Amino acid sequence: MALSAFQQDDSPHQWATWENVMEGHGSRWRMVRGSLLRHLCLAALALPGVAPALAQAQAVAPTAATTSGTVPSLANPALERRITELLGRMSIAHKVAQLVEPDIGAITPDDMRRYRFGTILNGGNSGPGGNDKALAPAWLALADAMYRAGTEPLPDGEPVIPPFWGTDAVHGHNNIIGATLFPHNVALGAARDPDLVRRIGAATAVEIATTGIDWAFAPTLAVVTDTRWGRSYEGYSEDPDIVTALGVAEVEGLQGIPGTPTFLDQHHVLASIKHFLADGGTGGVDQGDTRGDLNTIIATHGKAYGPAIRAGAQTVMASFSGINGEKMHGNRALLTGLLREKLGFDGLLVGDWNAHGQVPGCSNTDCPKSLLAGLDVFMVPNDWRGLYDTLLRQVNDGTIPLTRLDEAVGRILRVKLRDGLFDKPAPAARELAGHWDQLGSPAHRALAREAVAKSLVLLKNDGVLPIRASAHIAIAGRAADQIAQSAGGWTITWQGGGDLTNREFPGATSIQAGLVAAMQAGGGSATPTIDGTFTAKPDAAIVVFGEQPYAEFVGDRPDHALHDEEGLALLRKFKAAHVPTVAVLLSGRPLWMNRELATADAFVAAWLPGSEGAGLADVLIGDAKGKPRQDFTGRLGFRWPALCDTNQKALFPLGFGGSYAHRPAPLPMLDQTCAALTASAAGTVEIFHKRLAGGVEAAIREGTEEVPLHGFVGTGPHDALRVLGFDYAAQEDARQLIWKSAAELRFTWPVAANPTKGSGPAEIVLRYTIDQAPHGKVVLRGDCADCGTGVDLVPTLTAAAGRGWQNVRIPLACLGGNTSGGMSLAVDGPLEMKIATIELRPGGQAGSCTGPQ
């Protein structure tokens, strides 16, 4: 059928005194490095107002203690003289280049040689040669090439300023195949062990150094107040004291201790405390707005920054989010007034991915307001050339004063000098470069395994745990043997998951493999069974299930429910067979689990444990007689929701966690109803908007082979179709579809997602753009056996080519048959197009689907 009746259009879719704030924390404050650090934090946080908007706040006269943030051991007059001397010899063009941070996917060594960028980064989906799965030697080679290009001699005796490279190493050197993947911060917050976190930071630094990279965009100091936020797992806790203690420890691990010979030596890397300020208070909305009394906001969300700066943190990353309607990337009162003048931070303040472009009046290529507010480095991955030209013009015409330019560049130079960058050799010649025995080393994997065991939280145990190592058990659930799901987002790729298989994790151990090994060592056995079927009745079953990987806004949710019911079905299946069960939940946050908790005999929150799944077996499996080998010590860093739709009631409080020594009390009768899982689907359903909706699955089919697309990113089995992230209104909130040859993109969703449930007309609304007309067939059809030939989209796409973003409305009836469960887009290629949203809407036209072929 040809498309004729479908409509197409262009429609877009004060702060006051702080003494009282610090009172009443009791013993928890002892975690924050003792009374000395408490004194320093209090001094740093007893702050006066610094902006007219805060004029009504009660002022406190500043003292040297409140305005000097330089760690005493880092004070260096000779270094400051060197900064002044370098600034006096640098050209304006090269000073401006210090402010611009492009992505490695958008520049070449020739660009570095010409412009002399001060810093570069790799985004979550960037890699050497455009390959985010490139092996470690390729990363080191690129780091070396970029450094050498950026340090070639300049004419006229101008000083050469070495560049450095930043990476999102948020749970180990997580972009690199073969690296140790530590549990995410949500798990480390449950472990509550600053020494453990410090050792993890040090191990991560070593693995980063093997690839010649200089800078980790970590740790996250978010105090997460609503775990529906997709970045919740990057935060340690909702408790500011826990965040402070563990954030300080990670800074010390990554960088070393100021005043010691190892501080920022070649075995350590720069840390970046982020995201300043209040990124965790936006009500579960990524890049949102934190609202309320400013004193309270700073007391809660700013508490960790003073101690982390005192611990020597050299870089801070500004938040995408805003406070009371003002975006942080343009907030001078907080970026300069609080961070600089009151907390005394004298290092480098870097922006987040194009976040300056969200400041009112700004774009990705034009935002002097951010620099004037206090930003030093613009993270501008792809639009770097336009921003560079604009900044250079604005410096020359006086929009940006030379004094502000020199101030920002001076801060960048200060960090580079403290880091020893001028004295270090090129990346490939550094002490740890190419020491691949350090990447995923046995010692680091043992440390990660220790962290997994310490982070597990026991919520229920009716006596099934620990399991006798001499028993026969079943291991059920798809997640049990999927290391990518255990690792979560920010794992090799930005969103994690997708087409990652266990082959991309050499040296790692899945949860299933760890359990099998433990049982065999104890004389028992463990039989994997994905769907819960068995021949011989097991003594117990361990069911592993949970969230699919996600990062940032893709993980934002409107509720606390787990919409994937695989785990619940397995638990019920074993219960019906009278097999005792242990539920193991993999998640980046607490979730509403009332049904699973009521069904399972034991329940363990395992968070996102990473690459060393054997850490679960260390705690769950006892000896041959059933005595514990290691007890549970993890405690909740977040309240556990009793309701699926709000955080207003906690089933388990902050700090809850059972053990073998102190078994959790029996649970009361739990309410197992959840409106989010049972509500009528009437109304518009967003199949894809920034992420796939709950219950929606995507896959690529090439011939008879099919690959699922967790996170709606990935490559077909033979590379005929690639689905990539694309920036539409935010970072990678849309998708780019690239067909090289014949392949089919399939979507399936619950039948209940049909907005009319068969009672009336409905339509599919697709927002897309295409530059060139198709070269072959493009057919949209229902995902069912009786859906017929589908609809020919070639006329529509041909008419839309080169016209920018369009909306196309397709009556659901035109796809034929029972289309309420999914659809597919079949292309015999080649073809490129971008998709921003896919919606199911009630109403629309039910008219003719015939027309010109």
Side-chain angles (χ1 to χ4, degrees):
M1 298 179 187
L3 182 63
S4 61
F6 308 155
Q7 296 183 12
Q8 184 156 313
D9 58 64
D10 299 322
S11 60
H13 178 62
Q14 281 187 356
W15 63 81
T17 57
W18 285 51
E19 289 86 348
N20 293 335
V21 173
M22 304 299 292
E23 290 178 356
H25 290 291
S27 61
R28 292 183 300 170
W29 184 254
R30 288 196 295 271
M31 295 183 67
V32 193
R33 303 185 64 206
S35 60
L36 174 60
L37 189 53
R38 183 185 184 202
H39 172 75
L40 292 173
C41 184
L42 284 167
L45 297 180
L47 311 176
V50 296
L54 310 179
Q56 295 181 355
Q58 180 181 354
V60 176
T63 65
T66 64
T67 58
S68 176
T70 302
V71 178
S73 59
L74 295 180
N76 188 334
L79 182 146
E80 298 301 319
R81 289 193 294 272
R82 178 88 183 276
I83 293 171
T84 301
E85 185 267 337
L86 289 170
L87 287 172
R89 296 167 54 205
M90 292 176 67
S91 68
I92 289 179
H94 289 148
K95 287 179 181 179
V96 168
Q98 291 293 307
L99 312 182
V100 177
E101 183 176 56
D103 187 273
I104 60 169
I107 61 168
T108 66
D110 284 340
D111 293 322
M112 174 62 80
R113 185 176 295 108
R114 176 183 175 185
Y115 288 93
R116 304 302 176 102
F117 306 110
T119 67
I120 59 174
L121 84 147
N122 64 279
N125 286 331
S126 298
N131 180 12
D132 54 7
K133 296 182 182 178
L135 298 181
W139 291 80
L140 177 59
L142 182 59
D144 198 67
M146 288 292 186
Y147 178 93
R148 293 183 183 278
T151 54
E152 289 187 3
L154 291 169
D156 303 322
E158 186 177 350
V160 168
I161 312 298
F164 53 45
W165 177 340
T167 187
D168 282 282
V170 297
H171 66 132
H173 197 14
N174 45 252
N175 285 102
I176 309 299
I177 290 176
T180 308
L181 298 174
F182 295 96
H184 271 290
N185 283 355
V186 64
L188 299 183
R192 298 195 187 189
D193 185 340
D195 177 67
L196 173 70
V197 173
R198 190 176 294 107
R199 288 183 285 137
I200 288 173
T204 300
V206 166
E207 298 204 11
I208 293 172
T210 66
T211 58
I213 295 175
D214 312 273
W215 183 13
F217 295 144
T220 298
L221 302 184
V223 177
V224 182
T225 58
D226 189 329
T227 52
R228 292 177 296 181
W229 187 37
R231 303 193 77 156
S232 292
Y233 63 78
E234 296 185 48
Y236 298 109
S237 177
E238 67 182 67
D239 185 333
D241 291 341
I242 296 174
V243 173
T244 301
L246 300 185
V248 165
E250 187 169 354
V251 168
E252 292 175 339
L254 287 167
Q255 295 190 160
I257 308 296
T260 68
T262 60
F263 180 68
L264 289 176
D265 65 3
Q266 293 188 40
H267 291 238
H268 291 86
V269 298
L270 292 162
S272 183
I273 50 178
K274 64 182 188 180
H275 306 85
F276 190 85
L277 181 72
D279 52 337
T282 61
V285 179
D286 196 57
Q287 303 180 22
D289 196 50
T290 299
R291 292 187 173 272
D293 173 70
L294 188 58
N295 292 334
T296 304
I297 290 173
I298 295 172
T300 300
H301 298 280
K303 189 170 188 179
Y305 282 90
I309 291 168
R310 297 285 176 175
Q314 291 300 292
T315 77
V316 173
M317 184 180 291
S319 177
F320 264 112
S321 59
I323 293 180
N324 293 327
E326 184 172 3
K327 283 288 186 179
M328 281 303 306
H329 275 64
N331 193 323
R332 178 174 171 79
L334 296 179
L335 295 185
T336 295
L338 176 60
L339 181 62
R340 297 293 187 182
E341 297 174 5
K342 301 308 169 184
L343 296 182
F345 177 64
D346 67 354
L348 179 161
L349 176 60
V350 61
D352 208 340
W353 186 284
N354 283 335
H356 59 276
Q358 296 184 7
V359 175
C362 290
S363 68
N364 292 350
T365 58
D366 185 358
C367 194
K369 184 175 180 179
S370 281
L371 189 69
L372 296 175
L375 198 72
D376 300 314
V377 173
F378 291 86
M379 187 183 290
V380 55
N382 302 310
D383 297 322
W384 55 269
R385 194 186 307 271
L387 180 66
Y388 172 85
D389 291 342
T390 302
L391 287 171
L392 187 59
R393 183 179 68 252
Q394 290 168 343
V395 170
N396 286 329
D397 68 16
T399 301
I400 297 172
L402 284 172
T403 53
R404 177 66 191 107
L405 175 66
D406 281 356
E407 181 181 52
V409 177
R411 292 166 177 167
I412 298 166
L413 294 175
R414 182 178 295 114
V415 173
K416 291 184 176 185
L417 288 166
R418 285 178 178 165
D419 187 48
L421 193 61
F422 287 81
D423 302 316
K424 291 177 182 177
R430 294 176 189 169
E431 292 176 9
L432 291 175
H435 284 236
W436 308 128
D437 59 325
Q438 294 295 313
L439 191 69
S441 71
H444 294 169
R445 293 192 182 279
L447 176 60
R449 181 171 176 172
E450 175 189 348
V452 172
K454 288 183 174 179
S455 67
L456 302 177
V457 178
L458 181 64
L459 299 181
K460 179 180 179 180
N461 185 15
D462 287 347
V464 65
L465 289 175
I467 294 173
R468 288 182 295 106
S470 57
H472 166 62
I473 67 169
I475 305 171
R478 293 173 301 191
D481 199 38
Q482 291 185 357
I483 297 171
Q485 187 167 349
S486 293
W490 291 110
T491 298
I492 300 179
T493 62
W494 177 36
Q495 295 292 327
D499 60 348
L500 296 176
T501 69
N502 286 359
R503 292 191 301 271
E504 276 83 35
F505 301 93
T509 303
S510 71
I511 293 172
Q512 177 176 292
L515 291 169
V516 168
M519 295 302 294
Q520 291 177 345
S525 63
T527 302
T529 169
I530 291 177
D531 61 359
T533 58
F534 54 84
T535 303
K537 183 178 177 180
D539 298 312
I542 297 177
V543 179
V544 186
F545 63 100
E547 294 185 297
Q548 292 294 335
Y550 54 81
E552 301 193 40
F553 57 79
V554 173
D556 287 2
R557 302 198 57 83
D559 54 68
H560 298 287
L562 179 63
H563 291 255
D564 184 345
E565 298 189 346
E566 178 208 16
L568 178 63
L570 288 169
L571 290 169
R572 287 173 172 170
K573 187 172 186 177
F574 283 115
K575 185 179 181 69
H578 303 289
V579 176
T581 54
V582 179
V584 174
L585 174 65
L586 302 180
S587 69
R589 50 199 158 190
L591 294 171
W592 182 80
M593 287 279 110
N594 286 15
R595 298 176 302 172
E596 291 84 353
L597 279 161
T599 306
D601 297 289
F603 194 104
V604 177
W607 315 114
L608 298 172
S611 62
E612 307 313 307
L616 278 89
D618 293 339
V619 182
L620 271 58
I621 308 302
D623 62 17
K625 295 182 179 180
K627 292 184 178 180
R629 295 184 299 145
Q630 183 171 339
D631 206 348
F632 288 90
T633 57
R635 292 176 291 157
L636 293 178
F638 298 90
R639 289 165 290 175
W640 196 278
L643 304 172
C644 74
D645 52 351
T646 73
N647 328 355
Q648 294 177 357
K649 184 179 179 182
L651 180 61
F652 301 108
L654 174 72
F656 180 87
S659 67
Y660 295 133
H662 299 92
R663 184 182 296 183
L667 291 172
M669 186 72 68
L670 298 176
D671 182 357
Q672 299 186 39
T673 61
C674 174
L677 297 174
T678 59
S680 169
T684 297
V685 176
E686 293 178 332
I687 297 301
F688 172 73
H689 180 211
K690 299 183 179 179
R691 59 180 174 85
L692 293 175
V696 178
E697 296 182 357
I700 296 174
R701 177 180 290 171
E702 298 177 11
T704 60
E705 296 182 67
E706 186 168 300
V707 172
L709 299 178
H710 301 306
F712 194 19
V713 173
T715 304
H718 302 290
D719 201 31
L721 169 60
R722 297 188 70 196
V723 180
L724 308 175
F726 171 77
D727 291 359
Y728 175 63
Q731 182 181 351
E732 300 194 16
D733 60 340
R735 295 295 181 266
Q736 182 176 14
L737 313 178
I738 304 175
W739 277 270
K740 294 181 180 178
S741 55
E744 188 175 349
L745 178 62
R746 299 182 62 239
F747 298 92
T748 57
W749 53 78
V751 172
N754 182 351
T756 65
K757 293 190 290 188
S759 62
E763 61 185 3
I764 295 170
V765 181
L766 177 70
R767 185 155 182 80
Y768 72 100
T769 185
I770 185 170
D771 293 332
Q772 296 183 350
H775 297 287
K777 295 181 179 179
V778 183
V779 178
L780 185 71
R781 62 170 64 93
D783 194 57
C784 51
D786 60 346
C787 285
T789 59
V791 175
D792 179 10
L793 293 182
V794 170
T796 297
L797 298 181
T798 299
R803 292 181 56 199
W805 288 95
Q806 307 286 310
N807 289 344
V808 62
R809 300 163 58 188
I810 306 169
L812 204 59
C814 293
L815 302 188
N818 177 18
T819 59
S820 60
M823 65 180 185
S824 64
L825 184 62
V827 176
D828 59 12
L831 175 70
E832 291 191 28
M833 64 185 301
K834 298 181 179 74
I835 294 176
T837 57
I838 305 172
E839 297 178 341
L840 285 177
R841 295 181 184 174
Q845 298 187 44
S848 172
C849 299
T850 61
Q853 298 293 316

